[in-house]
Amino acid sequence: MIILGIESSCDDTSAAVIRDGVLLSNVTASQAVHEAYGGVVPELASRAHQQNIVPVVDQALQKAGVDREQLSAIAFTRGPGLMGSLLVGVSFAKGLAASLGIPMIEVNHLQGHVLAHFVHEEGEEHTPPPFPFLCLLVSGGNSQIILVRAYNDMEIIGKTIDDAAGEAIDKCSKVMGMGYPGGPIIDRLARKGNPKAYQFARPQIADYDYSFSGLKTSFLYNLREWVAEDPDFIEKNKEDLAASLEHTIVDILMKKLRKASKDLKIKHVAVAGGVSANTGLREAFLDHARRYGWTVYIPKFGYTTDNAAMIAMVGCFKYQDKDFCSMDKPAYSRVEI
Ligand code: KG4
């Protein structure tokens, strides 16, 4: 079973090859073009995917030492994501699958993030989470707690009712005049700051749901006041601001996750998505493992952000169930898990 995975949902063009569940290659072309705009520009993203898709797929096959004629199936991200970006990957996957006469496997991008924990290379020590487990999926577009009963049986038990955690971090970083994406910048600054220096609004939301817009607004309004009193406030206090922001967001995320783990009596807890690269969040997971007896699953850095390895991984699961899709499937920009 050799699966080619293709991912193009946002601003990363990625292709990966997995043979019998073992990752042979994972090649990603990121798009620096968006940095100047402080966010992803959909039109530019689609164009860059068109430039990158053929060389990226060629490289992934070459690195894996696999000829395209050896492929068993092509797994592709069908959505959710930016329509123009998705169309490039979906159309390419269809063309290649048709020319090779092999089946196609549609993959939900969010399901890919959750199953990134199953990706491993040859000889790599690796313990995937056993079903059922909880997964905190935190990225620029999502903040969700997912109950994962099986690879194809996932339920979102909590989600943000407004902004995603990554989006809030990126916006706060922007109002501080930092670059894009804000996550890695805030992370770096936070390591040198005092996480208790400032207090920001915390949401009071029922059940396992999240909200980050109040925090973002409180950060903005506080900052405006402080800068009005001292124009150099941000420069003088950027480390403390970043550390306090990160601390508040991590606290909000972990509180609901603790509640879900306690209520559902599930102690296998995973984290996925771009924000799972965050040092403070990773430390909080390790701390919860010590304090609450959780077994935690934290992805390797390479599999936190968008990548095709996780898409090919879902492809492997689905291939074994012969869960193929027809050629008339369009991309979808919005869909739940
Ligand atoms: O999953 P992802 O690559 O794709 C989107 O959903 O767009 O997540 C990107 C998000 C961005 O908001 C970025 O700022 C955030 O993940 N991020 C981080 C870190 N690295 C990336 N947030 C906090 N700390 C980080 N180290």
Side-chain angles (χ1 to χ4, degrees):
M1 174 182 64
I2 305 181
I3 309 289
L4 170 69
I6 292 175
E7 156 65 31
S8 72
S9 64
C10 190
D11 59 342
D12 292 302
T13 319
S14 186
V17 178
I18 292 190
R19 181 169 53 209
D20 298 330
V22 177
L23 181 71
L24 301 182
S25 66
N26 180 44
V27 176
T28 303
S30 302
Q31 305 177 358
V33 62
H34 308 289
E35 278 163 23
Y37 300 90
V40 176
V41 184
E43 181 85 13
L44 296 180
S46 320
R47 213 180 294 168
H49 281 306
Q50 289 211 313
Q51 283 171 335
N52 294 336
I53 188 100
V54 173
V56 162
V57 169
D58 274 348
Q59 250 190 48
L61 289 169
Q62 236 176 56
K63 239 179 127 182
V66 162
D67 291 331
R68 53 183 73 164
E69 287 72 26
Q70 291 175 272
L71 293 174
S72 314
I74 298 178
F76 65 99
T77 301
R78 188 176 168 199
L82 298 172
M83 187 47 89
S85 290
L86 287 164
L87 285 175
V88 178
V90 173
S91 304
F92 182 86
K94 283 185 182 181
L96 189 56
S99 73
L100 295 170
I102 56 175
M104 308 233 304
I105 301 171
E106 63 166 296
V107 177
N108 179 313
H109 178 81
L110 304 177
Q111 194 184 9
H113 271 301
V114 175
L115 296 178
H117 291 279
F118 290 79
V119 175
H120 64 284
E121 293 168 31
E122 188 74 64
E124 185 185 355
E125 204 181 311
H126 145 266
T127 320
F131 301 113
F133 66 93
L134 289 174
C135 185
L136 174 69
L137 176 56
V138 263
S139 66
N142 294 282
S143 297
Q144 306 176 334
I145 299 178
I146 303 166
L147 168 59
V148 188
R149 295 192 194 89
Y151 91 84
N152 56 357
D153 182 2
M154 301 187 188
E155 184 187 344
I156 298 169
I157 57 169
K159 62 175 182 223
T160 180
I161 58 164
D162 41 55
D163 292 351
E167 195 180 350
I169 297 176
D170 289 342
K171 284 183 183 157
C172 291
S173 155
K174 198 171 177 179
V175 300
M176 281 172 70
M178 305 290 158
Y180 173 85
I185 300 167
I186 294 293
D187 192 342
R188 206 176 52 246
L189 289 171
R191 307 283 63 78
K192 295 183 223 142
N194 172 8
K196 304 256 170 80
Y198 304 104
Q199 302 287 324
F200 302 110
R202 285 165 191 256
Q204 303 293 329
I205 307 282
D207 305 320
Y208 308 123
D209 285 342
Y210 290 117
S211 163
F212 292 101
S213 73
L215 163 68
K216 183 189 68 188
T217 311
S218 122
F219 188 88
L220 174 66
Y221 285 2
N222 276 308
L223 209 59
R224 267 193 203 152
E225 268 180 36
W226 294 326
V227 170
E229 284 165 20
D230 175 5
D232 296 329
F233 182 86
I234 296 176
E235 188 48 40
K236 285 182 198 154
N237 299 287
K238 57 183 188 237
E239 280 109 0
D240 284 351
L241 283 167
S244 302
L245 174 69
E246 181 190 279
H247 176 71
T248 311
I249 289 179
V250 170
D251 252 16
I252 295 169
L253 290 171
M254 297 311 289
K255 191 174 169 195
K256 293 296 175 89
L257 201 52
R258 269 198 308 278
K259 180 172 162 52
S261 160
K262 194 169 162 222
D263 293 351
L264 300 171
K265 298 185 178 51
I266 296 178
K267 291 197 170 195
H268 289 278
V269 189
V271 60
V275 182
S276 68
N278 182 259
T279 312
L281 185 58
R282 286 173 171 243
E283 281 168 2
F285 262 72
L286 297 175
D287 178 57
H288 278 60
R290 285 188 292 269
R291 282 205 284 163
Y292 301 102
W294 288 6
T295 307
V296 296
Y297 303 87
I298 302 172
K300 276 170 59 176
F301 279 108
Y303 308 136
T304 55
T305 47
D306 293 346
N307 66 86
M310 65 187 195
I311 303 305
M313 194 67 240
V314 182
C316 288
F317 280 111
K318 285 192 157 188
Y319 188 85
Q320 283 158 344
D321 283 348
K322 298 206 166 4
D323 187 357
F324 304 132
C325 73
S326 54
M327 279 283 175
D328 60 357
K329 295 279 188 249
Y332 43 54
S333 53
R334 280 177 183 276
V335 70
E336 294 229 320
I337 224 156

